């Protein structure tokens, strides 16, 4: 018997018991819908985390000095004085996978412009830092070449700082401000960046040349608090991080097996750190949803068994007129597969619909990925085959004589 | 008569055929070394009480069961030791079954019921299938009922659909197991009328029944007792079903 005929027979038999078919499918419908919705919620939260972290910049690698122990007491990470300006230059020269790099000097303080004052954080960086973190200057300019050498008292300010120091009619570029009583000239205004991954205001920031902050505000010439580096491409992040690690170990005479007095963090690692939690959640939710799929499968098996018993005489007759065991197996298997696929289809529709509802009503970040639909669908198919096999096999093994006389 | 016999093809031929059902503790001898032939164009009635082995024989004839011992040739081929799939193929090509309880598929039209055996024959395409099914329905006089479901048909009509289904694959023999068992006298005679008409067209029929008045419509009666052939009779004056029908009182008086 060809597939089309089998298909027609299976559809007809499902159609004869509409309510029963629908109830049987319900398990699969709920299972598939919940798998899709759960994966969509998981994927959504993952996407939003990734989005926020990509705000860090492109292909970012960060190098911090490690923690030190003073008399057995650990100090905060980054407090060791183990990264120096020479290390920075060595990285620039010796690591081919590094594109941009910039030291970061952090300071904070009171900023005064005319009669307004504001408290913000100041970062001493190279121009390259702006490239690494995709920070754009809206008006004015970036630092000049000479600013770094001379430790010029110039700065680029964020939108939030500008709003708090100047009224809306004043162009901040060219204005004088005082940071911790040191007079600075504003040479640029940053483009608005909005809220960061951790909810911080990325526009409440002032950038100044590295040497300016390092020498004039921190009074330090050698030690670097942090180095921002970008790799030449996303694929080269790992390689660049290895190159830096090797170089710094060599420079500081530390073998491969010792803990180095510095930490290297890549953007990938940070993304992984944050997404691993959401991954766990996603797997958990999808796992629970899959259980309902399996329960649905058992429902299908149950109904198929009833159906085989009910139709014993029909099976006997089909065999008497020439159906082989194989034909009977296919007929009932196809019926089970059809049940689960139809359930899968309706379930997928419900799953996508409910995901959209999550977005519309609760404003959750939900992303329905096509792979989750394919996954849930193929899972439903496999369940149809798996749970349909036993009843279909039972039907195929019936002895025609006995089946014909079954009451 | 003898010359005619030799010319005729043997449709069914069994020799030394035995069937033993192993029930664990006891062994039931359903058939004990049967030898018999059915020739092309014959109308044979197999008689006997329940347990006489007549149904077992019909099952073996119909390739639903295999003999424990002995040989069975169907249409010239030895089918005693075929496997399940080969038996299914034989049933599909060579055998037409008519059952006491009709065994029509519910909520399936008469035409589709008749088509069923052809569905399991991959050589036959849809168009041919529909055509042959329609032609066979015409043969049993149900052309106008082809789209009706079994529950919309009378018992006699249902059995006619079943007869059409048994004929659609152009079998070498039609096997009927108590085909009139569920029917009243008039309808029984109607069904026998069809059988006689089909036999008149050259179709070989073997019929199992325990009703003597039904067996009198067949030319050859074989009586079974305890798994053996106890008596074989050639009926001289075969009853004509059409005439018998006319003798019955008019339908509305019944």
């Amino acid at each position: 018997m060809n597939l089309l005929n089998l298909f027609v027979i299976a559809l007809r038999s499902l159609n004869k018991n509409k309510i029963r078919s629908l109830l049987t499918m319900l398990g699969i419908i709920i299972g598939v819908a919940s798998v899709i919705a759960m994966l969509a919620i998981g994927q959504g939260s993952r996407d939003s985390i990734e989005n926020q972290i990509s705000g860090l910049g492109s292909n970012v690698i960060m190098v911090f000095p490690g923690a030190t122990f003073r008399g057995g007491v650990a100090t905060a990470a980054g407090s060791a004085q183990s990264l120096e300006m020479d290390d920075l230059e060595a990285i620039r020269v010796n690591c081919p996978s590094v594109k941009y790099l910039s030291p970061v000097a952090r300071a904070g303080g009171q900023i005064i412009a005319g009669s307004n004052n504001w408290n913000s954080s100041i970062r001493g960086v190279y121009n390259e830092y702006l490239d690494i973190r995709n920070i754009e200057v809206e008006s004015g300019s970036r630092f000049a070449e000479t600013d770094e050498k001379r430790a010029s008292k110039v700065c680029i300010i964020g939108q939030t700082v500008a709003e708090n120091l100047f009224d809306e009619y004043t162009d901040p570029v060219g204005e004088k401000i005082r940071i911790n009583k040191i007079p600075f000239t504003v040479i640029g205004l940053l483009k608005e960046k909005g809220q960061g991954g951790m909810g911080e205001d990325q526009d409440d920031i002032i950038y100044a040349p590295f040497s300016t902050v390092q020498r004039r505000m921190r009074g330090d010439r050698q030690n670097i608090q942090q180095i921002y580096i970008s790799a030449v491409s996303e694929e080269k992040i790992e390689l660049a991080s290895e190159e830096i690690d090797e170089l710094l170990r060599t420079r500081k005479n530390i073998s491969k097996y010792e803990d180095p007095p510095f930490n290297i963090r890549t953007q990938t690692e940070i993304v992984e750190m944050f997404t691993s939690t959401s991954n766990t959640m996603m797997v958990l939710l999808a796992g629970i949803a899959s259980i309902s799929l399996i329960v649905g499968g058992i429902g299908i098996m149950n109904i198929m068994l009833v159906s085989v018993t009910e139709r014993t005489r029909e099976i006997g007759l089909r065999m008497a007129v020439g159906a082989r065991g194989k034909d009977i197996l296919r007929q009932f298997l196809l019926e089970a597969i059809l049940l689960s696929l139809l359930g899968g289809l309706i379930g997928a529709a419900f799953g996508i619909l409910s995901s959209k509802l999550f977005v519309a009503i609760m404003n959750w970040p939900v992303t329905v990925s096509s792979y989750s639909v394919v996954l849930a669908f193929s899972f439903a198919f496999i369940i149809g085959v798996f749970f349909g096999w036993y009843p279909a096999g039972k039907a195929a093994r019936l002895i025609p004589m006995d089946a014909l006389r079954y009451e | 008569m003898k010359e005619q016999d030799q010319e005729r093809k043997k449709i069914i031929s069994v020799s030394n055929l035995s069937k033993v059902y192993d029930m664990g503790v006891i062994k039931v001898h359903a058939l004990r070394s049967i030898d018999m032939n059915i020739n092309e164009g014959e109308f044979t009635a197999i008689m006997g009480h329940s347990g006489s082995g007549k149904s077992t024989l019909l099952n073996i004839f119909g390739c639903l069961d295999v003999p424990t011992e002995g040989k069975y040739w169907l249409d010239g081929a030895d089918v005693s030791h075929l496997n399940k799939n080969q038996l299914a193929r034989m049933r599909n090509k060579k055998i037409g079954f008519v059952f006491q309880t009709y065994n029509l598929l519910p909520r399936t039209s008469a035409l589709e019921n008749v088509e069923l055996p052809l569905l399991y024959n991959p050589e036959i395409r849809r168009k041919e299938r529909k055509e042959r099914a329609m032609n066979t329905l015409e043969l049993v006089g149900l052309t106008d009922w082809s789209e009706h479901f079994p529950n919309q048909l009378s018992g006699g009509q249902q059995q006619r659909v079943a007869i059409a289904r048994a004929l659609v694959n152009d079998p070498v023999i039609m096997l009927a197991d108590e085909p009139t068992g569920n029917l009243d006298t008039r309808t029984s005679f109607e069904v026998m009328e069809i059988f006689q008409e089909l036999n008149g067209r050259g179709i070989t029929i073997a019929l199992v029944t325990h009703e003597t008045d039904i067996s009198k419509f067949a030319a050859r009666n074989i009586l079974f007792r305890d798994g053996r052939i106890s008596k074989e009779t050639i009926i001289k004056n075969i009853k004509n079903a059409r005439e018998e029908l006319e003798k019955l009182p008019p339908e509305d008086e019944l």
Side-chain angles (χ1 to χ4, degrees):
Chain A
M1 181 174 276
N2 68 37
L3 204 65
L4 182 74
N5 287 333
L6 277 175
F7 192 78
V8 171
I9 290 174
L11 262 188
R12 201 175 280 169
S13 123
L14 295 184
N15 192 38
K16 277 175 196 166
N17 291 301
K18 283 193 197 69
I19 300 284
R20 191 160 92 178
S21 302
L22 199 72
L23 286 174
T24 313
M25 278 189 275
L26 206 57
I28 296 289
I29 292 174
I30 292 170
V32 168
S34 50
V35 166
I36 288 174
M38 292 307 158
L39 287 176
I41 290 168
Q43 188 65 41
S45 73
R46 213 178 132 148
D47 284 355
S48 80
I49 289 171
E50 267 172 23
N51 257 333
Q52 288 163 357
I53 290 174
S54 71
L56 271 179
S58 44
N59 314 326
V60 174
I61 300 165
M62 287 177 275
V63 184
F64 306 90
T68 54
F69 288 85
R70 289 205 184 112
V73 179
T75 62
S79 61
Q81 304 197 325
S82 53
L83 283 181
E84 299 180 346
M85 288 306 284
D86 292 345
D87 295 327
L88 186 83
E89 289 314 312
I91 292 172
R92 192 190 289 286
V93 175
N94 294 313
C95 299
S97 304
V98 168
K99 192 174 179 191
Y100 298 120
L101 81 169
S102 165
V104 180
R106 292 163 197 272
Q110 213 65 25
I111 304 135
I112 300 163
S115 57
N116 297 323
N117 82 94
W118 184 246
N119 194 308
S120 187
S121 53
I122 299 108
R123 278 187 205 157
V125 294
Y126 291 174
N127 264 334
E128 283 166 86
Y129 181 86
L130 306 180
D131 297 320
I132 296 168
R133 296 207 50 196
N134 303 327
I135 297 166
E136 286 171 55
V137 176
E138 191 177 82
S139 61
S141 63
R142 294 165 42 139
F143 306 122
E145 283 280 331
T146 47
D147 289 342
E148 179 63 36
K149 275 182 200 150
R150 290 182 195 155
S152 308
K153 287 174 273 184
V154 292
C155 64
I156 304 170
I157 61 173
Q159 293 279 351
T160 308
V161 178
E163 276 162 29
N164 283 288
L165 292 180
F166 304 104
D167 59 50
E168 48 195 302
Y169 308 109
T170 315
D171 179 7
V173 178
E175 293 292 318
K176 298 267 185 225
I177 60 171
R178 288 194 293 158
I179 306 170
N180 290 348
K181 293 176 187 160
I182 305 166
F184 278 78
T185 307
V186 178
I187 59 163
L189 178 66
L190 295 173
K191 207 171 180 178
E192 192 167 335
K193 236 188 160 188
Q195 203 174 318
M198 322 299 149
E200 81 278 8
D201 182 359
Q202 295 188 98
D203 298 312
D204 189 7
I205 192 89
I206 297 173
Y207 293 114
F210 174 70
S211 54
T212 313
V213 178
Q214 183 80 342
R215 290 184 217 159
R216 293 184 194 272
M217 302 179 80
R218 290 176 55 86
D220 194 333
R221 282 189 169 267
Q222 277 311 310
N223 296 300
I224 304 172
Q225 286 178 292
Q226 190 183 4
I227 305 174
Y228 256 78
I229 297 165
S230 78
V232 286
S233 67
E234 204 183 328
E235 295 78 42
K236 289 282 175 64
I237 294 178
E238 274 314 299
L239 183 66
S241 133
E242 280 161 23
E243 283 170 4
I244 296 160
D245 185 62
E246 208 181 301
L247 177 75
L248 291 180
R249 280 176 192 272
T250 316
R251 287 179 62 84
K252 295 177 191 307
N253 279 325
I254 291 156
S255 76
K256 270 187 186 173
Y257 311 103
E258 280 176 272
D259 280 340
F262 54 84
N263 290 314
I264 301 172
R265 288 265 172 279
T266 64
Q267 194 172 13
T268 332
E269 284 170 354
I270 296 167
V271 171
E272 275 165 11
M273 198 169 76
F274 281 100
T275 49
S276 72
T277 338
S278 84
N279 274 347
T280 315
M281 277 306 283
M282 196 156 111
V283 168
L284 199 75
L285 291 173
I288 293 169
S290 332
I291 290 172
S292 70
L293 257 182
I294 290 169
V295 173
I298 294 169
I300 287 186
M301 178 153 80
N302 197 9
I303 285 301
M304 289 311 296
L305 279 173
V306 171
S307 176
V308 167
T309 311
E310 264 183 6
R311 286 153 70 188
T312 302
R313 284 173 74 101
E314 177 191 325
I315 295 164
L317 174 82
R318 286 179 184 277
M319 285 176 157
V321 300
R324 292 161 300 172
K326 202 159 65 175
D327 295 316
I328 302 294
L329 182 93
R330 282 183 191 154
Q331 180 187 338
F332 282 89
L333 198 58
L334 194 72
E335 209 175 303
I337 292 171
L338 224 56
L339 263 179
S340 64
L341 275 188
L342 229 59
L345 201 70
I346 301 171
F350 270 116
I352 293 167
L353 203 75
S354 61
S355 303
K356 303 267 182 243
L357 277 179
F358 275 124
V359 180
I361 297 171
M362 304 214 265
N363 208 12
W364 281 12
V366 173
T367 318
V368 179
S369 52
S370 51
Y371 94 87
S372 75
V373 177
V374 173
L375 184 85
F377 219 63
S378 30
F379 206 22
F381 177 78
I382 291 167
I383 276 180
V385 174
F386 185 80
F387 288 102
W389 199 274
Y390 174 68
K394 207 179 151 186
R397 282 192 303 273
L398 285 174
I399 296 162
M401 276 183 307
D402 301 342
L404 274 169
R405 292 204 179 80
Y406 184 84
E407 291 295 332
Chain B
M1 191 77 182
K2 248 189 180 164
E3 277 168 21
Q4 237 182 356
D5 264 10
Q6 278 168 346
E7 269 174 44
R8 276 171 160 183
K9 199 168 142 197
K10 279 180 193 164
I11 295 297
I12 280 177
S13 172
V14 297
S15 77
N16 194 27
L17 188 88
S18 297
K19 181 71 189 178
V20 182
Y21 290 110
D22 197 345
M23 312 296 262
V25 190
I26 48 159
K27 286 190 171 153
V28 180
H29 292 263
L31 291 175
R32 300 166 191 263
S33 43
I34 305 288
D35 293 291
M36 73 176 276
N37 297 322
I38 294 178
N39 294 329
E40 192 172 24
E42 266 187 338
F43 189 177
T44 313
I46 298 166
M47 310 273 300
H49 297 291
S50 57
S52 61
K54 60 184 197 303
S55 289
T56 307
L57 187 73
L58 201 76
N59 284 336
I60 292 175
F61 280 177
C63 294
L64 286 169
D65 206 350
V66 285
T68 318
E69 254 178 73
K71 287 281 181 199
Y72 169 31
W73 288 273
L74 174 65
D75 199 21
D78 183 3
V79 294
S80 340
H81 301 290
L82 295 186
N83 68 27
K84 270 197 209 167
N85 284 344
Q86 291 165 326
L87 286 174
R89 189 111 192 95
M90 275 291 160
R91 294 195 293 268
N92 187 242
K93 294 234 161 179
K94 308 262 185 193
I95 308 284
F97 280 106
V98 179
F99 305 95
Q100 177 175 3
T101 48
Y102 329 129
N103 279 327
L104 297 178
L105 297 186
R107 277 178 280 184
T108 307
S109 74
L111 184 69
E112 281 172 325
N113 263 297
V114 175
E115 276 178 49
L116 195 67
L118 301 183
L119 274 174
Y120 291 102
N121 186 344
E123 291 153 27
I124 291 170
R125 304 250 153 244
R126 193 185 132 88
K127 194 165 166 277
E128 189 190 346
R129 195 174 74 220
K130 297 269 172 208
E131 259 173 37
R132 277 173 72 169
M134 209 56 219
N135 290 342
T136 339
L137 266 183
E138 200 187 332
L139 207 67
V140 296
L142 284 177
T143 317
D144 298 336
W145 301 83
S146 63
E147 292 310 315
H148 285 70
F149 290 162
N151 61 349
Q152 297 165 322
L153 300 173
S154 71
Q157 284 172 323
Q158 289 186 51
Q159 194 58 297
R160 270 145 71 190
V161 173
I163 291 169
R165 184 182 60 195
L167 286 174
V168 76
N169 58 343
D170 207 5
V172 295
I173 187 164
M174 191 161 91
L175 300 172
D177 190 1
E178 306 267 8
T180 56
N182 275 12
L183 301 173
D184 59 43
T185 315
R186 173 175 287 274
T187 328
S188 297
F189 287 0
E190 277 171 13
V191 167
M192 292 320 291
E193 187 191 351
I194 294 171
F195 278 170
Q196 283 189 332
E197 197 195 316
L198 293 173
N199 184 240
R201 290 171 186 237
I203 290 166
T204 318
I205 301 170
L207 167 98
V208 161
T209 184
H210 62 266
E211 296 166 80
T212 11
D213 51 339
I214 291 297
S215 72
K216 295 289 177 283
F217 292 108
R220 185 183 176 202
N221 282 9
I222 298 172
L223 182 66
F224 269 74
R225 180 165 288 167
D226 302 328
R228 289 195 178 88
I229 297 176
S230 75
K231 200 169 118 194
E232 184 171 345
T233 336
I234 302 293
I235 307 287
K236 290 277 155 50
N237 46 354
I238 305 161
K239 280 204 284 183
N240 185 305
R242 183 166 298 150
E243 285 166 14
E244 293 299 317
L245 266 174
E246 280 161 11
K247 276 187 228 162
L248 286 175
E251 202 161 5
D252 45 328
E253 279 177 33
L254 275 171

